Amino acid sequence: MKKDLARVFFLCAVTLLTTGCWDYTEIELRDFVVGAGVDAVEPKVIVITEMAKSTGTGQEAEFRPVVLTTEARSLTSGAHNLANPSGMEIFWAHAQVFLVSEEVAQGGMLTILEPIIRARDLRSTMYLLVAKDCTVEEVFKSKPPLLTGVSQHLTSIIRLSAISADFVPQQLWQFTGDLAAPGISATLPAVELVHEGGNLMPVVRGAAVFKLDRMIGWLSKEETQILALLKGESEGGFFVMDTEIKGNTTAITYEFRGSQLKTKPIVDGERVEMKVSLSLQLGVAGTRGADVDFSDPAVVRGVEEQVARYFTRRIRDFLRLIQEDYNSDILGFGRLLWRREPATWRKIESDWDAVFRGLPVDVEVDCRIAFTGFRAQPIKMRN
Amino acid sequence: MMNESVPERQGIALVFLFIVGDSFVFGLARWAGRDLWLSFLVAIVLASPLILVYGRLGSLMHGQPFSEALPRLLGKWPSRLVALTYSAYAWRLGCFVTGDITNFVQAVSLPDTPQVVMAFGYAILVLWAVKEGIEVLARFSSVMIIVVLLILLTALGLAMTEVNLQEFLPIMYDGFWPVLQGAFQILDFPLLETVLFIGLANALTTKKRSAYKVLIPGFLLAAFFLMLFASASVAILGEEAYMTSYFPVFMSTARIDIALFLTRLEAVVGVTFAIGTFLKISVCLLVASKTLAHTLGFSDYRFLVTPLVLSIIPGSQWFAKSIMEMEQSATKIVGFTDVVVQVALPLVMWIVAEIRMSKERKNKAGKPSGI
Amino acid sequence: MFFWKRAKGEQPKTRDLDRLSTSLETNLKWLRSNLFADDDTIVYRRFKTKEPTRQCVLIHANNMTKHEFLSDYIVRPLMISSLPRELHGQRLIQHITEQVIQSDGATVFSSYEKLAEGVVAGAGAVLVEGCNLGISVDAQGWEKRSVTEPQTESVVRGPRQGFTEDLGVNVSLVRRKILSPELKVRMMDVGLQTRTKVAIMYVEGIAPKELVDEVFQRIERIETDAILESGYIEEFIRDSPNCPFPTIGHTERPDRVAGKILEGRVAVLVDGTPFALTMPFLFVEAFQANEDYFHHWMVASFHRTLRYISFFLTTSTPGLYLALVTHHPQLIPMSLSISIAAARKNVPFPAMVEVIAMGLVFEILREGGVRLPKPVGQAISIVGAIVLGEAAVGASLVSAPMIIVVGVTGVAGFVVSKLNDTAVLIRILLVFTSAVLGLYGFLFGIMGIMVQLASMESFGIPYLSSLTSLTIQGSKDTVIRLPWWRMVLRPRHLAPKNRERLHRQSRSKTK
């Protein structure tokens, strides 16, 4: 009978518990934030959010993005203030992108990120971006051509990063991880506004370079391609290179088919050197009709050598830029040293900035044409 | 009271869920950071002899219930003292575990629900389960272990794309001390909490089978499973995030994102956490009631269950007033009480029991005609 | 349980009846005025034997007997036979049973009670002038339903036989499956008024003796007026009577009964119903279909898995939906949660009310459809599908996702038909717990059910047995079904002593 008593007790308890539904909120009373951003931190935090507002019911339901802006002492209180104008419970867990303006990035990301990584309902897989030459509000108020809402547009672009090497996407956890790890500096992709048919449209290209949590400069789209390659995160994209074939120079479009990156620290007594070996697999996407015969091994070899030289030069330029101009170890050479040669790292850790500025890097690029589309040769026109 | 007996595999499942159940979401061995796998190995090596001692103590009881075996092994009054100690320890552990889950749920999922409500829900379920006894708990765990393993291993498999083995390098950059700290922390919580199974040894031992056969595989499986999960979390999150977040495993499964659809698996992980916690609280309270019944000299423990279980509701709120306290209790390196209950007392009990037993055997052998 | 105790004191076990008299007229008078008073179906056929003439009477109940049989094998032989003059009393009756009546079943009785028992059960009772004994001859003959395929358990592949309402036929159907003398059938009468025949079948040497004894004892303890269906017995003898999970199985199929008793179970067949009981009944059996054993084992295992998934769906979908939508929208992919929000926008009811109301409507439709004659039943489904489904969404009374939830719940419920009614109760419990604590409430519900299941037993065997064994041999016939040549041993818990089902030699041959 005691068992029965326990059962009855259980049922009573269930009934009792039913009298209160503390976290019960109807889903239609929630406002889904799909993207957010911060335009300024001082004197007040300006928070911009994009929410998904649904209109119509049943099969006619549509989503309309609504952009709300609010000012408050802190990001969190700003976020909560939004409940007032929106009239619903703000639901953050579906936020996919978070934008910061250039000023905010220059002033230090930590003030913004600290409440975000603490928050229970914000995803660590949220994408971080920096608005270049415009405010976050302008970005959110621009008109993406196809998708509804800027956040969806940006997420969609970022998810295409596999076929475009114009930017290196960074999720929240990657950025904070880079901030916290020794010997690496963070980057964030940049978002710009371009004119398109009378409308402003956001595009993602280039990167912002950070030193600690402060942004110190930009990388152009081309430099970002190299960044992606050297971070081992480039999986696709195209580039055009003037190629000399049998004395004629012609512009050929190449396609990245894959790359293997090997970065290795070489320690020889006091001397530290990095060895970067990159091997590229390329495809030929088009030749502008020039007479190039890829069935000729000599031609292929020539092209491969030129591409290798071209990339070696670009990488050298890039390294000079980050080592001397920015002095920001965004490739994580220091972290590599820490992982592979902890003894050496212990010695040079304290003045890594200086060491990094003068760190000799041995660049070795190896290139292979793996694919030329469906044809080996362009069309041969005849009279 | 009927003689309770738990089949071997069910016993292993029980021990496994008891150890893994509520601990895997915490940052185990966080002091060791990326070297935590070393901490785990050290902890397993250090814990094994103690687990053997627990098993030996269990076997010395010859399948008798606690209240009969312990006086035989230790003498009447010392046995009551020991029982009281374990009762208090088990009850306190039960409170801590309840505090863990209520804080966890409030932190990650239901911010507005009062913790007391969660604690109450658990108390009701635990009350019921403990009254049903160890056999029901063992059956429960042997079904639930399948659910738990299925969920966790699926989550782990899906998270494999996020794993970065580079995160384990460099090995022991900060020396061996953090590794040792981490090892002691996992010894303290959760590995050596297995000590509670001494109180249930009569159900784990049969004439043919000693308690080792259940304790050792359960312990080893659980330890390696925890190691796998903690290591995977470090490899996914990176050392810094592992060391600074309250629930690293939870965070790392949050990173799973398969085609925009299979996301947010962390809630499912939370579910398995809740299952394991339930089992652990039940075992704690079962032991607490049994040992307390022995201390007070009763043969049936069931009437003590209700007050003890209901007292964990305020108890959990008392022992873990905030998430910080809960976290500290879970990841502190060594606690005084734990050393006493998990290490010192079992060793003393074991030595005393062995001496007394050998005397008894000698007496029997030497003077067959009695006194 | 309570019922037995109460019933014990009230009813005397046997009625105290007079013994038969030597005078035929006295006997008939007594029967007409007392025992069979106001019963017009009782036929008294008077006739005389040849020289020396003796007055005889054949008493039987109209339509309960085979009339031709009675006239051919009882009345005619008696009429044309000449009974030796010197025989009287017991010796005369013995002579008649041994040499005159041409029937295999004839018993001698000496009391009115025995006479009445025989006559109401369809026997012909012969009384002879001058004897205080009578002969009761089995001549049962009434309209029986022929053996047809059972409607509740139809199969695509497999035998098409189903039990009928006749116990004798049913026993023979099972016996024809197991042609072994080890198959034991023991009969009992249960019910003070109905005196229903109950057959207990088991295979000696496989079914543990304790189990058989336990079943006997439990049935013997039943003291009730009427057993009209095996469900009566089930409720009297089952474990955990307050729990909606079945602890005794029932089936209409002889092949299932044969399969069950060959695994060491006991079957109870009850006269008057095609539903046989098998015990003990374990949780896994609810997910087994007899077709599983006729199909390829991979196919069968897939179907089994499907049933477990369906059971999960039918119990959990509404609760999970509620938990996710009201407590954890972050677990729903973004676009889906936005569209659910849009769908619910103009719905006036809270999600919880919606879930409960739609669940109720579905159950009402189902109940209506089951009980109604087939043509009307179709009308119900039309009303349900079009009027309630389509129109309710159109009128913004219900959101479209809710209709899907109800649909999934309902369809999945039909897959595990044995637990369908249990599933309804679980579903309601889970909806409530989910509404309070979201996923964690859902989990509380699940854990409560698991504790309940783990604590249940059926005839001394843990209800979850096969699921908790955690070994391959132990779980060979649970979520998966291993091929027959892998199932060497019978389930441990059912037949602990005689475990080998396949002989080693035949096993190696098949491989």
Side-chain angles (χ1 to χ4, degrees), chain A residues 2-3 6-7 9-11 13 16-17 21-23 89 93 96 117 120-125 127 155 159 171 173 176-177 180-181 335-336 338-343 345-347 349, chain B residues 34 106-114 117 120-121 124-125 127-128 131-132 162 164 166-167 169-174 236-237 239-240 251 254-255 257 260 263-264 300 302-303 310:
Chain A
K2 266 186 183 170
K3 275 189 195 174
R7 261 168 231 155
F9 198 33
F10 174 70
L11 288 176
L16 269 178
L17 291 173
C21 304
W22 296 269
D23 283 284
E89 192 168 320
Q96 290 175 315
I117 55 174
R120 181 187 68 254
D121 44 3
L122 277 166
R123 292 188 187 200
S124 67
T125 50
Y127 289 104
T155 321
R159 292 208 173 249
Q171 291 180 329
W173 61 272
T176 51
R335 191 173 62 178
L336 200 68
W338 171 62
R339 280 180 178 158
R340 298 285 166 78
E341 304 285 345
W345 174 253
R346 209 189 292 276
K347 273 182 271 171
E349 184 178 4
Chain B
R34 64 192 169 279
Q106 189 163 61
V108 302
S109 207
L110 305 173
D112 298 332
T113 306
V117 174
F120 188 66
I124 300 302
L125 271 180
L127 182 62
W128 179 9
K131 288 216 172 193
E132 299 282 1
E162 303 279 330
N164 178 12
Q166 296 280 320
E167 296 286 350
L169 291 173
I171 294 168
M172 286 208 285
Y173 184 76
D174 303 310
I236 290 169
L237 294 176
E239 181 185 44
E240 196 271 339
M251 300 266 297
R255 289 256 299 278
D257 182 354
L260 271 177
T263 57
R264 295 254 144 183
D300 190 11
R302 277 166 220 264
F303 77 101
L310 291 181

Side-chain angles (χ1 to χ4, degrees), chain C residues 93-113:
Chain C
I93 294 295
Q94 197 179 342
H95 177 81
I96 295 176
T97 36
E98 281 172 2
Q99 301 203 350
V100 182
I101 291 176
Q102 300 172 355
S103 160
D104 54 348
T107 46
V108 178
F109 57 84
S110 62
S111 68
Y112 290 116
E113 190 207 353

Side-chain angles (χ1 to χ4, degrees), chain A residues 83-119:
Chain A
N84 210 341
S86 85
M88 297 199 201
E89 192 168 320
I90 305 293
F91 188 74
W92 283 87
H94 284 321
Q96 290 175 315
V97 290
F98 194 89
L99 272 62
V100 288
S101 67
E102 196 174 341
E103 279 167 62
V104 174
Q106 281 163 349
M109 291 288 284
L110 221 51
T111 45
I112 297 301
L113 289 188
E114 215 282 341
I116 292 180
I117 55 174
R118 215 177 259 282

Side-chain angles (χ1 to χ4, degrees), chain B residues 212-226:
Chain B
Y212 306 116
K213 281 207 161 174
V214 171
L215 284 181
I216 291 286
F219 159 74
L220 284 180
L221 278 177
F224 279 106
F225 190 81
L226 287 175

Side-chain angles (χ1 to χ4, degrees), chain A residues 329-379:
Chain A
D329 185 5
I330 52 178
L331 294 176
F333 286 160
R335 191 173 62 178
L336 200 68
L337 213 58
W338 171 62
R339 280 180 178 158
R340 298 285 166 78
E341 304 285 345
T344 315
W345 174 253
R346 209 189 292 276
K347 273 182 271 171
I348 58 174
E349 184 178 4
S350 49
D351 52 7
W352 172 243
D353 279 355
V355 176
F356 177 67
R357 190 184 291 275
L359 184 76
V361 183
D362 181 15
V363 181
E364 199 183 283
V365 180
D366 164 53
C367 171
R368 202 166 61 80
I369 305 282
F371 184 69
T372 63
F374 268 14
R375 307 176 64 111
Q377 295 167 11
I379 300 167

Side-chain angles (χ1 to χ4, degrees), chain C residues 443-477:
Chain C
L443 199 65
F444 277 159
I446 294 277
M447 288 197 292
I449 291 161
M450 282 312 300
V451 173
Q452 169 67 33
L453 285 177
S455 68
M456 277 166 68
E457 287 187 350
S458 174
F459 289 83
I461 290 165
Y463 196 49
L464 288 178
S465 283
S466 308
L467 287 176
T468 53
S469 70
L470 298 177
T471 54
I472 298 288
Q473 249 325 296
S475 45
K476 66 204 163 186
D477 197 14

